[in-house]
Amino acid sequence: MDVLIESTRGFEKDLDRLSNDEKTLTVEKINECANLFLTQKAGIYKKLRRLPHFAELNGYESSLYTLKVSQKLRMILTVDEDPIFEQVIFTLYRVVKHDDLNNAYQGIAESLYQEISHHSQEAAQAS
């Protein structure tokens, strides 16, 4: 199984704003997770934290997580396991100060799950 790491423009912008030490730590943390995922998947999932998502997802489970990079920094990412193509995809959305985590997470969640939430509201109104 392959492990792919993809980053968004938001993540790249956040990374550019960090100090060199913080950048290095962030890159090391995601590489550590990616390298250990295939042999220690349960351990990696224990390091990831799923924040509550407020929109209705039509029974789907969110794959949006946070990962502690340091005392001050948190990374927001998704982990998608694709058994058909035998790959795991880590998509990096943001790396933010701990104090900014909830706002950043909420913005990403709303953007990612807007369509699912919208369809479930339409279905509720139709019934």
Side-chain angles (χ1 to χ4, degrees):
M1 184 170 279
D2 292 326
V3 178
L4 303 174
I5 300 172
E6 299 178 348
S7 61
T8 63
R9 189 174 310 155
F11 179 83
E12 296 295 333
K13 285 182 179 179
D14 291 342
L15 200 60
D16 285 343
R17 291 184 198 120
L18 299 178
S19 70
N20 286 336
D21 288 345
E22 290 172 325
K23 285 180 191 177
T24 300
L25 193 58
T26 301
V27 171
E28 286 175 354
K29 186 63 87 170
I30 192 59
N31 285 336
E32 173 189 323
C33 286
N35 290 333
L36 292 175
F37 191 85
L38 299 179
T39 58
Q40 299 177 27
K41 180 164 79 169
I44 296 302
Y45 276 114
K46 284 181 183 178
K47 290 183 178 191
L48 300 174
R49 184 169 166 236
R50 185 176 282 154
L51 293 178
H53 181 66
F54 305 105
E56 173 60 44
L57 296 179
N58 264 356
Y60 292 104
E61 189 173 87
S62 170
S63 61
L64 194 58
Y65 296 96
T66 63
L67 175 65
K68 183 178 178 179
V69 175
S70 69
Q71 217 37 42
K72 294 180 180 179
L73 290 176
R74 300 295 184 272
M75 191 180 317
I76 302 173
L77 68 154
T78 57
V79 179
D80 296 299
E81 297 182 59
D82 185 342
I84 294 171
F85 292 103
E86 294 186 7
Q87 61 186 10
V88 177
I89 304 166
F90 286 81
T91 304
L92 313 177
Y93 286 93
R94 300 286 309 270
V95 58
V96 296
K97 303 285 184 204
H98 184 264
D99 293 346
D100 300 329
L101 179 62
N102 285 334
N103 286 340
Y105 182 90
Q106 191 63 32
I108 294 166
E110 287 172 5
S111 172
L112 286 176
Y113 303 119
Q114 183 175 16
E115 189 172 318
I116 293 172
S117 178
H118 179 70
H119 290 304
S120 91
Q121 288 173 356
E122 286 178 348
Q125 290 173 351
S127 49

